[in-house]
Amino acid sequence: MFPDLKGFVKPGSEEEKLARQIDFSRLPRHVAVIMDGNGRWAEKRSLPRIEGHRAGAKAVQEVVEACGRLGIKYLTLYAFSKENWKRPKREVARLWKLLEDYLRKEDKQLIKNKIRLIVIGQIEAIPPSARRELERVADLTKDCDGLTVVLALNYGGRTEIVDAVKKICAAGEIGRLELDEDSFSRYLYTASLPDPDLLIRTSGEFRISNFLLWQIAYTELWITPVLWPDFRRKHFLQAVVDYQKRERRFGAVHARTTQHA
Ligand code: IPE
Ligand code: IPE
Ligand code: MG
């Protein structure tokens, strides 16, 4: 079950060596990414921070393509947190504009590659023109059955949990609903998505920054010092190879050891 990687990895390249190590029957179903380090990338080059965000679009393209080519079904990208409103107004405005322009340009490419776009977060508070573009592209791609790209925008993990509780209360479900982990998770923004198997964070920060707090209970974490605009398919393949070396025990013991208990 080796997918056709022609044109994606060059023969003899480091990428090809990595791709050959991948067991395609055990791919992560869902990969989530905290795309961090755009500002530092720009500052190192004495450029305005927005240039780092602009350069980050190339990394997005590489990771989306890598997921599509490998056959990964879900990719969630943390693009704007609820806390990111604390940044200078100008940076925030330009970030939303960048997203809007990106969607306007890339819509045909998404359709061509069968990519479905969905958004998680407090969508109602996203600036109207960016929101309109998001809704347009989400609607346009709703029947695409390849990779699902989930954009986390105006997203906060704690807010998501509080919003789920509010939805349950507003629907008058308290008392009637048999509340357990499964039924609760159906009220989260991610109701239709499996939990991430692998979470990648770039720029070397060892923190979660309020991302998918509920969903990452048993996710494997992979942190790299590479800044997001420098992140390429090679790094993504490294993360997948590394992920497949891990033993996911989910609190149990390895089957081999039970007989020695
Ligand atoms: C991540 O890069 C992009 C967003 C949070 C929108 P940063 O802008 O956080 O870059 P650093 O962390 O300042 O380098
Ligand atoms: C996390 O990055 C949010 C996104 C990548 C969208 P931040 O740069 O905002 O996180 P902190 O401030 O380093 O925790
Ligand atoms: Mg940052």
Side-chain angles (χ1 to χ4, degrees), residues 138-208:
D139 190 56
L140 199 69
T141 61
K142 67 178 186 306
D143 297 321
C144 293
D145 59 0
L147 170 70
T148 295
V149 173
V150 184
L151 285 183
L153 291 166
N154 194 23
Y155 175 89
R158 288 184 171 179
T159 302
E160 177 181 29
I161 294 168
V162 172
D163 279 351
V165 174
K166 283 187 188 159
K167 272 189 240 165
I168 293 170
C169 295
E173 297 279 16
I174 285 284
R176 276 194 292 128
L177 181 74
E178 179 119 26
L179 200 55
D180 58 17
E181 292 178 11
D182 280 344
S183 58
F184 183 78
S185 65
R186 287 197 282 277
Y187 289 86
L188 295 170
Y189 308 145
T190 52
S192 60
L193 308 170
D195 288 341
D197 300 295
L198 169 62
L199 171 64
I200 297 173
R201 182 168 188 148
T202 58
S203 88
E205 307 289 2
F206 283 73
R207 58 176 169 262
I208 295 301

Side-chain angles (χ1 to χ4, degrees), residues 119-133:
V119 182
I120 57 169
Q122 285 195 323
I123 300 167
E124 54 291 352
I126 290 175
S129 57
R131 187 177 156 189
R132 268 196 301 276
E133 233 359 75

Side-chain angles (χ1 to χ4, degrees), residues 65-120:
E65 191 193 354
C67 285
R69 296 298 290 258
L70 297 180
I72 289 168
K73 293 307 285 179
Y74 299 91
L75 170 69
T76 297
L77 300 172
Y78 200 9
F80 193 90
S81 74
K82 272 202 80 169
E83 289 73 25
N84 288 149
W85 293 107
K86 294 178 198 158
R87 296 183 177 208
K89 268 205 174 69
R90 187 177 157 84
E91 179 178 348
V92 168
R94 295 181 79 179
L95 261 169
W96 288 113
K97 177 79 170 60
L98 202 63
L99 173 75
E100 199 182 315
D101 294 346
Y102 183 80
L103 291 168
R104 208 167 271 140
K105 272 205 316 267
E106 289 299 314
D107 56 354
K108 286 182 196 66
Q109 207 53 28
L110 294 176
I111 298 273
K112 187 170 156 239
N113 295 322
K114 302 193 173 69
I115 295 169
R116 175 171 70 128
L117 182 91
I118 61 178
V119 182
I120 57 169

Side-chain angles (χ1 to χ4, degrees), residues 35-40 49 53 79 84 87 95:
M35 310 184 290
D36 198 18
N38 297 353
R40 277 163 282 172
R49 290 177 57 87
H53 299 310
N84 288 149
R87 296 183 177 208
L95 261 169

